[in-house]
């Protein structure tokens, strides 16, 4: 167990205003020996957020293949119940903490994770989408963060294998049922396309039935309303991870982006995750390297020290 005080902050990710987007706790550990998994899981349960992140410095800087300086950290993510293999909003929150606190003195951070090396890059603020209807207030910092994540294939799934899904989603009109090849922790997610983004936004699922579904969780998605400025809407239901709905989930867009890119015939997309807190993601599919670039903003809402 870690005995010394541990600095932490709470960051709202994929938003430019406090108390929107997806909150994550970010804890800064001094050395790898501080990574006591039992303690880390207990702290995550105490925070009771969709994700608690643990950063441990590897070295102050290192040069990448292009001879650019990068900052390197170990990064792990825990829900209130389990450690996960991949987390988008937790990575964004961790990068924002390092950039905003000047612990990262470069514009590129390499995170060594259970999903390999993930890159976060500080980029100038810019968006073609009017987000005023979804957030208010001024940005905390004048930069966005771009994450470089792997794609996750969407595979065919027999709807007969999940006969109760129609009732689970309270009769929502289902266009297609698929599943992801893999997800955090090595499990797949069910992938359900609905008839419209509006249906996605107003969906009220049966939580206990969601728990009975195969896989880790259920992704629901649909085309965005005309004139909204978005390409698609989504939501992610994951009661098995200790939270009924993850407000904004970067990692599910590793599957959503290739799916909608093929469906819409373009590689640059803007998505809205239509949870009650809501969040905006600017997205790009790198077809050659099978990578998804996920861009968003974040706001620090709390700072302190863990004393136990």
């Amino acid at each position: 167990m870690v005995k010394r005080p541990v600095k932490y902050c709470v960051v709202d990710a994929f938003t430019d205003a406090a108390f929107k987007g997806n909150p994550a706790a970010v804890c800064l550990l001094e050395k790898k020996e501080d990574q006591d998994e039992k303690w880390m899981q207990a702290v995550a349960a105490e925070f009771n957020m969709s994700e608690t992140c643990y950063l441990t410095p590897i070295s102050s800087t290192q040069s990448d293949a292009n001879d650019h300086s990068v900052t390197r950290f170990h990064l792990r993510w825990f829900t209130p119940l389990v450690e996960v293999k991949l987390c988008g909003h937790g990575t964004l929150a961790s990068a924002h903490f390092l950039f905003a606190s000047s612990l990262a003195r470069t514009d590129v951070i390499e995170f060594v994770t259970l999903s390999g090396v993930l890159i976060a890059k500080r980029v100038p603020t810019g968006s073609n989408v009017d987000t005023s209807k979804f957030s208010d207030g001024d940005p905390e910092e004048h930069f966005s963060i771009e994450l470089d994540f792997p794609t996750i294939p969407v595979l065919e799934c027999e709807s007969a294998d999940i006969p109760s899904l129609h009732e689970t989603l309270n009769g929502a009109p289902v266009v297609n049922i698929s599943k992801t090849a893999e997800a955090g922790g090595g499990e797949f997610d069910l992938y359900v396309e609905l008839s419209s983004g509006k249906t996605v936004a107003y969906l009220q699922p049966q939580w206990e039935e969601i728990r009975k579904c195969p896989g880790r969780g259920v992704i629901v998605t649909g085309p965005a309303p005309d004139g909204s400025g978005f390409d698609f809407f989504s939501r992610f239901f994951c009661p098995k991870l200790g939270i009924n709905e993850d407000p904004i989930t970067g990692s599910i867009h590793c599957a959503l982006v290739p799916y909608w890119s093929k469906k819409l015939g373009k590689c640059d997309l803007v998505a809205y995750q239509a949870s009650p807190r809501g969040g905006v993601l600017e997205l790009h599919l790198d077809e050659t390297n099978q990578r998804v670039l996920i861009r968003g903003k974040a706001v620090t809402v709390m700072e302190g020290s863990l004393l136990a």
Side-chain angles (χ1 to χ4, degrees):
M1 179 181 292
V2 178
K3 299 294 185 182
R4 67 183 70 86
V6 172
K7 182 178 180 179
Y8 80 88
C9 67
V10 174
V11 176
D12 288 341
F14 293 115
T15 180
D16 60 3
F19 314 126
K20 295 183 181 292
N22 200 354
V26 182
C27 302
L28 181 62
L29 305 178
E30 292 185 7
K31 52 188 178 180
K32 196 169 184 179
E33 289 72 20
D34 290 339
Q35 295 185 17
D36 181 294
E37 291 187 8
K38 185 176 180 180
W39 178 85
M40 295 163 81
Q41 189 63 73
V43 170
E46 185 78 6
F47 276 120
N48 198 33
M49 297 179 185
S50 56
E51 222 70 51
T52 298
C53 316
Y54 296 94
L55 289 166
T56 311
I58 297 174
S59 59
S60 56
T61 59
Q62 179 171 310
S63 295
D64 63 12
N66 297 316
D67 202 31
H68 297 144
S69 294
V70 299
T71 302
R72 305 185 76 233
F73 277 80
H74 288 287
L75 175 59
R76 298 174 71 176
W77 313 278
F78 287 75
T79 78
L81 295 181
V82 297
E83 182 174 12
V84 297
K85 187 178 179 182
L86 184 65
C87 176
H89 90 277
T91 306
L92 185 77
S94 298
H96 178 84
F97 164 71
L98 293 173
F99 286 135
S101 64
S102 298
L103 288 170
R105 297 186 178 277
T106 63
D107 288 331
V108 178
I109 303 171
E110 287 187 353
F111 293 113
V112 178
T113 77
L114 292 177
S115 289
V117 176
L118 303 176
I119 296 173
K121 184 184 299 183
R122 177 164 44 191
V123 295
T125 297
S127 172
N128 295 323
V129 177
D130 178 8
T131 63
S132 60
K133 65 174 72 69
F134 301 105
S135 62
D136 50 21
D138 294 326
E140 180 191 48
E141 301 287 350
H142 299 290
F143 65 87
S144 296
I145 295 168
E146 184 177 87
L147 307 177
D148 185 339
F149 273 31
T151 60
I152 296 177
V154 176
L155 309 175
E156 291 186 4
C157 178
E158 293 294 333
S159 58
D161 295 340
I162 35 178
S164 66
L165 188 61
H166 185 73
E167 291 75 18
T168 300
L169 300 181
N170 272 327
V174 174
V175 174
N176 183 45
I177 301 173
S178 310
K179 65 179 181 180
T180 63
E182 62 179 35
E187 293 186 85
F188 67 87
D189 292 319
L190 288 180
Y191 186 104
V192 182
E193 183 184 349
L194 302 181
S195 59
S196 71
K198 185 176 180 180
T199 302
V200 171
Y202 289 103
L203 182 65
Q204 296 293 328
Q206 301 289 333
W207 300 116
E208 287 307 311
E209 294 302 315
I210 291 282
R211 286 182 179 274
K212 298 175 186 177
C213 288
R216 181 186 69 155
V218 178
I219 302 166
V220 294
T221 187
D226 291 341
S228 67
F230 298 100
D231 293 296
F232 64 89
F233 282 12
S234 69
R235 292 171 72 185
F236 183 47
F237 308 125
C238 48
K240 292 179 185 178
L241 298 182
I243 181 169
N244 283 343
E245 179 173 4
D246 193 27
I248 318 295
T249 318
S251 60
I252 65 171
H253 288 80
C254 296
L256 286 161
V257 170
Y259 181 89
W260 283 105
S261 175
K262 182 178 180 180
K263 200 172 182 73
L264 299 176
K266 58 182 182 178
C267 292
D268 292 300
L269 302 158
V270 183
Y272 183 64
Q273 192 154 338
S275 68
R277 289 176 66 103
V280 178
L281 304 92
E282 298 176 64
L283 306 156
H284 174 76
L285 175 64
D286 179 348
E287 292 184 288
T288 301
N289 297 305
Q290 286 300 294
R291 305 290 293 185
V292 175
L293 303 182
I294 304 171
R295 185 177 293 190
K297 294 183 66 65
V299 180
T300 303
V301 297
M302 188 184 306
E303 296 179 341
S305 296
L306 291 165
L307 303 178

